Amino acid sequence: MLHDVGIINVWTFLAGALVIILLPGPNSLYVLRTGMSRGAKAATRAIAGVMLGDLVLIFLAWAGVATLIRTSPHIFMVVKYLGAMFLLYLGAKIIIGTLRKRDSEQPAEAVKQENYFLRALLLGVTNPKAILFYVSFFIQFIDPAVTHTAPAFALLGLMIQGISLSYYTILLLAGAMMVRFLRSRARLVKLANMLTGMLFFGFAVRLVSAQS
């Protein structure tokens, strides 16, 4: 049945997708950090933004943009450098914010103004793991001989979204549990934020070094 709509090697796809989603990346790290520092409601907005970002990438892959990026080194370079710049920005913002908190705490009003959905959406569409997944892995399981590829992209997209939603929900719950543990441990919170910022720097470096 799946082969009839243009999906090939579905079990290989699911196994590979599960491994890739479970690997630590900017999306999962951002959801976990948001849950730890801002609570379940903010983490839910972050999850919605990340998943919308994935939908955008799935649509672009269906529209042929993934193939264009894969076959054009110049376009791929522009995409990955833009993604790396955004990851560096997030990492620097986290680290600078953490260092500033040593002298004075951020007011509650400033915390509420952060748009977790929009930031997660931008992170989702510039996530190196997601870009490489949809450019190099996702489209390999679409039969090029099929007349209409939209159903195949939609079904594979639903599978990916289902796995991602389950994983992000676990991260949200884990973040909520860690909030209770870290509530009275300010030094551990600062250390975790510094490590998070450094990890975003690492993701940026990995994206720049990625090959098309």
Side-chain angles (χ1 to χ4, degrees), residues 146-169:
V146 71
T147 304
H148 301 290
T149 58
F153 274 95
L155 284 175
L156 290 181
L158 285 174
M159 295 177 193
I160 287 292
Q161 293 291 73
I163 297 173
S164 297
L165 181 59
S166 300
Y167 179 50
Y168 292 140
T169 300

Side-chain angles (χ1 to χ4, degrees), residues 33-184:
R33 178 185 177 273
T34 303
M36 289 173 55
S37 59
R38 302 295 181 252
K41 289 185 178 180
T44 301
R45 298 190 196 103
I47 291 173
V50 166
M51 297 193 69
L52 180 57
D54 282 346
L55 287 176
V56 171
L57 292 177
I58 293 171
F59 174 78
L60 293 178
W62 171 75
V65 176
T67 302
L68 179 63
I69 292 175
R70 186 177 59 177
T71 56
S72 175
H74 298 295
I75 295 178
F76 182 79
M77 185 174 296
V78 170
V79 170
K80 72 178 184 179
Y81 276 105
L82 287 175
M85 289 173 61
F86 185 64
L87 290 171
L88 287 173
Y89 162 76
L90 285 180
K93 185 176 178 64
I94 292 170
I95 291 175
I96 292 173
T98 302
L99 292 175
R100 285 179 176 174
K101 284 184 180 180
R102 292 180 178 177
D103 299 323
S104 59
E105 293 295 323
Q106 250 185 332
E109 292 78 7
V111 171
K112 293 180 180 178
Q113 291 174 2
E114 184 173 350
N115 192 328
Y116 301 103
F117 174 81
L118 180 59
R119 182 164 293 181
L121 173 59
L122 293 174
L123 183 60
V125 297
T126 58
N127 175 15
K129 190 172 70 172
I131 291 172
L132 295 176
F133 176 79
Y134 291 110
V135 170
S136 303
F137 182 80
F138 188 86
I139 59 178
Q140 294 182 21
F141 299 90
I142 305 294
D143 188 352
V146 71
T147 304
H148 301 290
T149 58
F153 274 95
L155 284 175
L156 290 181
L158 285 174
M159 295 177 193
I160 287 292
Q161 293 291 73
I163 297 173
S164 297
L165 181 59
S166 300
Y167 179 50
Y168 292 140
T169 300
I170 293 173
L171 289 180
L172 186 154
L173 296 174
M177 292 176 62
M178 294 178 73
V179 165
R180 291 192 287 270
F181 175 75
L182 297 172
R183 186 167 294 166
S184 59

